Amino acid sequence: MTARILIIAGSDSGGGAGIQADIKTATMLGAHAMTAITAITAQNTMGVAAVHPVPTDMVIEQIDCVIRDIGVDAVKIGMIGSAKTAVALAARLGEMPGLPVVFDPVMVATSGATLADDATIAAFEQLMRIATVTTPNLPELKALSGMSVLDKAAQREAAQSLVQRRGRALLVKGGHAKGRQVTDRLFQPAEPGIAPEVEWSDPRIDVDATHGTGCTLSTAIACELAKDWSLPEAVARARRFVRIAMQDAAPLGQGHGPMAQQSVRLDLNQSRWAPMLNHVTIPARDLSASEHFYRLLGLRQIVRADERYARFESEGGATLSIEAEEELAAPVVFLECGDLDLMVAYLKAQGMTFTQLPRDEQWGWREARLTDPAGNIVCLYQAGEMRRFPPWRLRDA
């Protein structure tokens, strides 16, 4: 069934953030996006020129109209527009307990423009009480908690205070912190079987295409929650989506440019159970000749390792590798799994025999291997952004 995502947020005329980024994200993740627009903004990559809030009654009517007819599986809340709208939203969504709600407490745009006044920020309290998870960056965490966020210990204390007071999860985004690593931390209420803190850390992506990262992340989390992934799983998958969209972004505008949600095609398997054909490796007798052949076919070369290995990317995002035949005797078919360990456990229960159980490989993929009845090698794997964006990728190929 198609996940139905209700997005409550403002419109960005530049298409980089807000409703526009949300719709692109939901679409690329296979969901149906519905919208309740809270404000109209005139903005581009350089900044916000004007903001026109939508009346609260109209915001609520948009919500009621789509719910009556289409229904909803998860909600994402972004820019709200006014304190009155925030209070009305909390009351309306509070009537639907159990519905996943992801609240991105937007206060300031990437350009620095203020998108929420003090009264609206004060009203965020009510939305945090009904949200499944709230996703503040570090300045927003400071504003919401009234506490210091100077270091990781202070950030943990501030986050835990909010979780204890609201009884809801909090994802603290670390993009505003200094350093070459970006660390995001999920804090959850103390419950049996629930990890109170989960941390993700990845190298910072040095690009200007950062407009809409928070919008994209929160919408992706909502989409994944609607597909019944757990909150930590949904966050992990959403983070991967954001990072891939950042790395594939074209230089647009003169400021903080938009991301490339439209380029995240085959990098995230949507299903726990159905593997997706994503990559094939074939042996090559003459690597240079094979490279020339596939470039002539129109494939884009993205990796070359000496005289033994090369990889190409197709328009759909699928990849093809060629490897010196003295190192690879037969083709290998790679099927991406949404949850590799779960898939392997299921197949083993069906009587399948694996030549390699899941393990982390040095090239950044997690793989398990088996053979089909004809003796061909089949690799089940998870790679995330490392499939298309390994450190050795040829960026200008």
Side-chain angles (χ1 to χ4, degrees):
M1 178 179 175
T2 300
R4 301 162 297 179
I5 311 300
L6 173 58
I7 301 160
I8 305 168
S11 170
D12 172 4
S13 58
I19 286 287
Q20 286 79 359
D22 297 328
I23 293 174
K24 287 185 281 188
T25 299
T27 300
M28 295 312 298
L29 286 170
H32 173 67
M34 305 170 291
T35 63
I37 298 177
T38 59
I40 300 169
T41 71
Q43 64 176 293
N44 54 29
T45 66
M46 301 294 288
V48 179
V51 177
H52 178 69
V54 173
T56 298
D57 290 347
M58 184 59 186
V59 174
I60 300 301
E61 184 58 34
Q62 292 175 78
I63 293 170
D64 289 342
C65 189
V66 298
I67 289 177
R68 279 197 306 267
D69 177 35
I70 302 171
V72 59
D73 298 306
V75 175
K76 175 266 174 71
I77 305 172
M79 179 184 177
I80 294 174
S82 71
K84 182 180 178 182
T85 296
V87 172
L89 278 177
R92 182 67 184 89
L93 295 177
E95 299 170 359
M96 297 181 283
L99 180 68
V101 176
V102 180
F103 175 36
D104 181 17
V106 177
M107 300 179 190
V108 179
T110 302
S111 62
T114 299
L115 297 178
D117 58 23
D118 290 343
T120 303
I121 294 173
F124 284 177
E125 167 86 19
Q126 298 184 45
L127 286 168
M128 292 180 68
R129 291 187 181 278
I130 59 95
T132 305
V133 61
T134 301
T135 63
N137 57 33
L138 292 179
E140 291 162 351
L141 175 63
K142 181 178 181 180
L144 292 171
S145 66
M147 300 171 65
S148 169
V149 295
L150 286 178
D151 54 32
K152 290 185 70 172
Q155 295 159 21
R156 176 181 288 109
E157 186 177 356
Q160 289 175 338
S161 72
L162 288 173
V163 172
Q164 291 167 3
R165 281 152 50 188
R166 310 309 194 270
R168 297 288 182 162
L170 197 79
L171 176 66
V172 178
K173 300 176 293 190
H176 284 74
K178 295 181 180 179
R180 298 307 304 167
Q181 293 288 118
V182 175
T183 300
D184 300 328
R185 289 187 288 173
L186 175 66
F187 298 87
Q188 302 184 91
E191 295 181 17
I194 300 295
E197 183 176 340
V198 183
E199 181 177 299
W200 297 267
S201 186
D202 291 288
R204 187 179 297 275
I205 301 172
D206 189 17
V207 296
D208 292 327
T210 57
H211 190 42
T213 50
C215 305
T216 299
L217 179 70
S218 52
T219 297
I221 293 172
C223 290
E224 300 307 304
L225 288 175
K227 301 172 193 171
D228 293 328
W229 293 96
S230 70
L231 181 53
E233 290 170 333
V235 171
R237 293 166 67 82
R239 290 182 77 258
R240 233 180 303 157
F241 184 95
V242 170
R243 290 180 62 81
I244 294 169
M246 289 176 69
Q247 295 195 69
D248 221 18
L252 297 173
Q254 302 172 63
H256 295 284
M259 301 161 65
Q261 294 91 344
Q262 70 278 5
S263 293
V264 188
R265 299 180 177 95
L266 298 178
D267 299 275
L268 293 172
N269 193 338
Q270 305 297 312
S271 168
R272 288 177 182 271
W273 300 107
M276 178 170 61
L277 179 62
N278 225 343
H279 180 77
V280 174
T281 299
I282 59 175
R285 188 167 302 167
D286 182 333
L287 194 80
S288 295
S290 292
E291 280 184 301
H292 181 66
F293 174 81
Y294 285 109
R295 283 199 297 264
L296 283 178
L297 282 182
L299 299 184
R300 180 187 184 194
Q301 186 166 1
I302 60 174
V303 174
R304 192 175 201 279
D306 299 324
E307 295 296 328
R308 65 169 192 83
Y309 181 83
R311 191 190 311 168
F312 299 84
E313 183 179 69
S314 71
E315 278 297 311
T319 51
L320 168 73
S321 291
I322 54 177
E323 190 167 350
E325 65 178 5
E326 57 266 27
E327 299 188 30
L328 182 72
V332 184
V333 176
F334 289 79
L335 300 173
E336 185 183 12
C337 301
D339 188 324
L340 176 62
D341 295 292
L342 186 66
M343 172 64 73
V344 169
Y346 168 77
L347 293 175
K348 287 180 67 178
Q350 306 308 306
M352 287 197 179
T353 301
F354 283 79
T355 58
Q356 175 187 308
L357 291 176
R359 73 183 186 197
D360 296 325
E361 303 289 1
Q362 63 181 1
W363 47 87
W365 297 23
R366 182 166 173 77
E367 298 182 0
R369 297 199 174 204
L370 66 165
T371 56
D372 69 12
N376 298 306
I377 300 171
V378 177
C379 177
L380 305 180
Y381 80 101
Q382 283 180 286
E385 66 189 88
M386 285 293 290
R387 185 181 71 80
R388 282 175 63 205
F389 296 100
W392 55 90
R393 178 184 171 112
L394 304 176
R395 296 291 177 169
D396 298 321

